[in-house]
Amino acid sequence: DAKTTQPPSMDCAEGRAANLPCNHSTISGNEYVYWYRQIHSQGPQYIIHGLKNNETNEMASLIITEDRKSSTLILPHATLRDTAVYYCIVRAWNTGNQFYFGTGTSLTVIP
Amino acid sequence: DTAVSQTPKYLVTQMGNDKSIKCEQNLGHDTMYWYKQDSKKFLKIMFSYNNKELIINETVPNRFSPKSPDKAHLNLHINSLELGDSAVYFCASRKGVSDNSPLHFGNGTRLTVT
């Protein structure tokens, strides 16, 4: 599985969009990008995933660059409850490869 | 309804004891996992089962023995507990093993070994 690089921490003002970057420059063609978050020792929560097209759901949007070497998770209107550690993971869909979690980005939403 | 549920939520025990953690998922998924999150918050996969068959064992000591009585349950038994086993253990499930379905996690079991 390709490795990912994320900034260790970020701040975002409440009500503003939070844009969390992830670099995955060695991603392969069969690898999806997944985003999870973990709110203070709760179980990691699935947010969104995509292969090459941009994706949107009720929680967030995922923007993947055309070369697929990086992506951005967008929380459109951050709230205090979005304060969490956000993990970007790449994984090949058609193999038995596992989900390996890195150190993630600790997002703090500031009132 | 809780999708992936673990019991107990907290477990405090002494070194040398044997303990079990239970996990159940009601999502109809075929694949289940155990992850360990240590004090440094690093989340590491331990085991993976698909349709009751072990498919991944990530060099976990054999004091840890997972058991899957059916595909909705994956329990974790730990023998001769050590201080270093103190961690939060998360159960997870997903639809298949070779598809793009995401993982769904339980809320964890915090194990403290004294």
Side-chain angles (χ1 to χ4, degrees):
Chain A
D1 287 305
K3 292 185 178 177
T4 62
T5 305
Q6 299 177 252
S9 63
M10 291 180 65
D11 292 338
C12 177
E14 188 178 16
R16 305 295 295 268
N19 297 287
L20 292 102
C22 180
N23 282 321
H24 29 80
S25 58
T26 59
I27 194 169
S28 300
N30 64 344
E31 289 180 317
Y32 275 74
V33 180
Y34 296 78
W35 282 85
Y36 283 79
R37 72 181 182 184
Q38 188 173 25
I39 299 171
H40 188 57
S41 295
Q42 295 179 19
Q45 178 188 22
Y46 164 73
I47 301 173
I48 199 166
H49 72 291
L51 184 63
K52 52 184 177 182
N53 296 326
N54 297 338
E55 302 287 344
T56 295
N57 63 20
E58 64 279 3
M59 289 182 68
S61 294
L62 173 59
I63 308 298
I64 302 175
T65 57
E66 194 168 339
D67 64 8
R68 301 187 68 238
K69 292 185 177 182
S70 66
S71 60
T72 301
L73 179 75
I74 301 173
L75 308 178
H77 305 286
T79 70
L80 299 179
R81 286 176 295 182
D82 292 322
T83 293
V85 177
Y86 287 77
Y87 298 97
C88 168
I89 300 163
V90 294
R91 177 190 175 273
W93 72 270
N94 56 350
T95 69
N97 291 352
Q98 301 309 314
F99 288 78
Y100 291 102
F101 287 74
T103 52
T105 296
S106 178
L107 174 70
T108 301
V109 179
I110 302 168
Chain B
D1 285 342
T2 304
V4 181
S5 58
Q6 300 177 225
T7 54
K9 188 171 181 179
Y10 299 98
L11 185 54
V12 181
T13 189
Q14 292 183 328
M15 283 174 52
N17 285 349
D18 304 338
K19 290 294 179 185
S20 293
I21 307 172
K22 295 186 176 182
C23 178
E24 175 181 5
Q25 54 94 4
N26 62 4
L27 297 167
H29 290 168
D30 289 338
T31 309
M32 296 185 71
Y33 302 78
W34 279 109
Y35 279 79
K36 177 181 179 181
Q37 188 167 43
D38 59 25
S39 57
K40 295 181 180 177
K41 304 297 185 184
F42 186 58
L43 194 62
K44 186 175 180 181
I45 188 168
M46 299 174 70
F47 298 102
S48 175
Y49 269 72
N50 180 250
N51 273 323
K52 305 189 297 177
E53 298 293 326
L54 178 68
I55 55 172
I56 291 286
N57 178 342
E58 290 275 333
T59 61
V60 177
N62 54 18
R63 297 183 296 104
F64 291 78
S65 52
K67 292 234 175 7
S68 183
D70 55 61
K71 71 176 191 179
H73 296 83
L74 181 63
N75 304 323
L76 183 64
H77 189 76
I78 314 171
N79 289 327
S80 303
L81 278 155
E82 301 177 357
L83 293 177
D85 298 331
S86 295
V88 182
Y89 292 84
F90 289 101
C91 177
S93 73
R94 56 192 296 263
K95 187 174 180 182
V97 65
S98 297
D99 59 28
N100 69 348
S101 61
L103 280 171
H104 297 267
F105 283 85
N107 277 327
T109 295
R110 182 174 294 276
L111 171 65
T112 303
V113 182
T114 62

